[in-house]
Amino acid sequence: MSDMTFKQAKEIVERLELSELSIRNSFDSLDHARRSLDDTIIEQKKVLQKLPQKESKIKYLYLIIMLNIGFLAGLFVGKYLL
């Protein structure tokens, strides 16, 4: 170790600094990905909570459409077949 020149020591320090920057960048990317995943999970929970409400609304909408079709069929039968 005492045989190391100043140039070699400087290269080692530069490599260590580069490694430190690389680790910081990786940590920041990992933190950003974690926050993004947390936001996605929160949005997914919101969607799962709203799903039963939307499902019941779709059932009512389907019932209304069937009633309208039945009404139109009744008008058709009453006008043309009777």
Side-chain angles (χ1 to χ4, degrees):
M1 200 63 140
S2 62
D3 297 344
M4 193 180 331
T5 64
F6 179 72
K7 187 176 181 180
Q8 290 172 334
K10 188 176 178 182
E11 287 177 5
I12 290 174
V13 168
E14 287 175 356
R15 287 183 190 167
L16 287 173
E17 288 174 349
L18 183 62
S19 297
E20 181 184 1
L21 290 174
S22 175
I23 288 171
R24 276 190 189 160
N25 189 16
S26 297
F27 180 74
D28 290 343
S29 297
L30 186 63
D31 189 44
H32 177 70
R34 182 194 55 80
R35 279 188 267 127
S36 176
L37 182 62
D38 288 344
D39 293 342
T40 304
I41 289 172
I42 289 170
E43 289 297 320
Q44 190 176 24
K45 285 180 182 179
K46 288 179 184 177
V47 167
L48 288 175
Q49 287 175 353
K50 290 182 180 180
L51 191 62
Q53 295 171 354
K54 297 293 181 186
E55 202 169 294
S56 67
K57 287 182 181 179
I58 289 174
K59 287 179 185 177
Y60 288 128
L61 190 61
Y62 180 73
L63 179 64
I64 291 171
I65 290 171
M66 288 298 121
L67 286 173
N68 283 333
I69 291 173
F71 178 72
L72 292 174
L75 284 177
F76 177 75
V77 167
K79 181 161 178 130
Y80 294 110
L81 298 179
L82 293 179

